[in-house]
Amino acid sequence: MSATYSLPAEWLDRSIKIALVGVGGNGSEMLDALGRMHLSLTGC
């Protein structure tokens, strides 16, 4: 499975803060997806 992510250009020069509240079933999946997205976008 592969995914393509894109960000608005103005987001590339600053930090993005995300508050994930209520990490239950859906929230834990979102947390995992955010981690994968970070790794994909930063090239780590």
Side-chain angles (χ1 to χ4, degrees), residues 8-24:
E10 63 270 9
W11 288 10
L12 298 175
D13 295 331
R14 62 184 174 98
S15 299
I16 300 170
K17 296 180 182 177
I18 298 173
L20 183 60
V21 180
V23 184

Side-chain angles (χ1 to χ4, degrees), residues 2-41:
S2 95
T4 303
Y5 304 108
S6 62
L7 292 173
E10 63 270 9
W11 288 10
L12 298 175
D13 295 331
R14 62 184 174 98
S15 299
I16 300 170
K17 296 180 182 177
I18 298 173
L20 183 60
V21 180
V23 184
N26 291 331
S28 62
E29 288 294 322
M30 178 58 76
L31 181 62
D32 188 45
L34 287 170
R36 287 192 310 268
M37 186 184 303
H38 171 73
L39 291 176
S40 177
L41 291 170

